[in-house]
Amino acid sequence: MTSESQASFNRRLDQARRLLALAQTGLHYTTGVFDKERYEEIAAIAHEQIAEIASLKTDEVAELFAFESGYANPKLDVRCAVFDDAGQILLVREAADGLWSLPGGWADVGLSPAENAAKEVREESGYTVEIVRLLAAWDTAKHPHPPSVFHIWKLVFLGTVQHSGERIGEETDAVGFFSPDDLPPLSLGRIMPEQIRRLDELRRGAGVDFD
């Protein structure tokens, strides 16, 4: 796909997501029967558009968004960058696709972003970490991730190992430390090689990268 085609693809996907967000927010606030019907029709059109753009079936898209209700917001992906004394970064292998990523996932209700990051590291790698600071707040739409039907914001925290233990989650099946310059195949929807190298730069300084 050429850069021009990619830009057009991303623009169409962004428009469809925004249309669906307007429909979802409208359904949350409306009390009128006719308005509800109109918003439901807009949502159905958005589902069709997203399905066409993402090469999915319309009912598959509808199922993905079935539990999305209330005022529409971006989804929050919280991850943790953990480095050892040699400057290698902790990665976990995703059981779903066999590719590697930073420990993390969707933020859970009831925990702060930092608590979510520490929990994900513990569950997916077995390591208990102390969260030191925020390294990055990224909008995945502004980075070369594969397109997603969701609008995702990503928070990445810096963590330091306190002690090791056993993995207690089932979402990952391997754990390892890797040089930022010699990474295994990454799950690019979750993290990009250039983002890992940027996180390595950030942990050496005092700044926060943000979109």
Side-chain angles (χ1 to χ4, degrees), residues 14 26-27 62 72 81 111 135 137 142 145 177 191 194 203-204:
D14 179 62
L27 285 169
L111 298 177
L135 291 180
K142 298 184 180 297
H145 294 278
F177 282 89
I191 195 71
E194 56 266 35
R203 60 111 179 178
R204 300 169 188 269

Side-chain angles (χ1 to χ4, degrees), residues 27-115:
L27 285 169
H28 176 66
Y29 285 110
T30 188
T31 57
V33 174
F34 295 110
D35 285 341
K36 182 174 183 292
E37 290 178 353
R38 292 187 182 95
Y39 285 125
E40 288 174 342
E41 183 176 357
I42 292 172
I45 293 171
H47 289 159
E48 291 177 3
Q49 290 180 336
I50 292 173
E52 180 182 352
I53 295 167
S55 298
L56 296 170
K57 295 180 180 179
T58 303
D59 57 350
E60 291 176 333
V61 175
E63 185 176 350
L64 282 173
F65 287 93
F67 296 103
E68 301 292 321
S69 61
Y71 189 91
N73 298 102
K75 295 182 75 67
L76 185 61
D77 179 23
V78 179
R79 299 200 173 263
C80 191
V82 181
F83 294 86
D84 65 12
D85 293 337
Q88 295 183 311
I89 192 167
L90 174 67
L91 298 178
V92 295
R93 190 170 65 189
E94 301 287 341
D97 58 16
L99 300 174
W100 295 78
S101 179
L102 298 180
W106 299 134
D108 289 332
V109 172
L111 298 177
S112 72
E115 290 168 341

Side-chain angles (χ1 to χ4, degrees), residues 199-211:
L199 293 169
D200 188 28
E201 295 174 356
L202 290 165
R203 60 111 179 178
R204 300 169 188 269
V208 177
D209 204 7
F210 61 89
D211 293 321

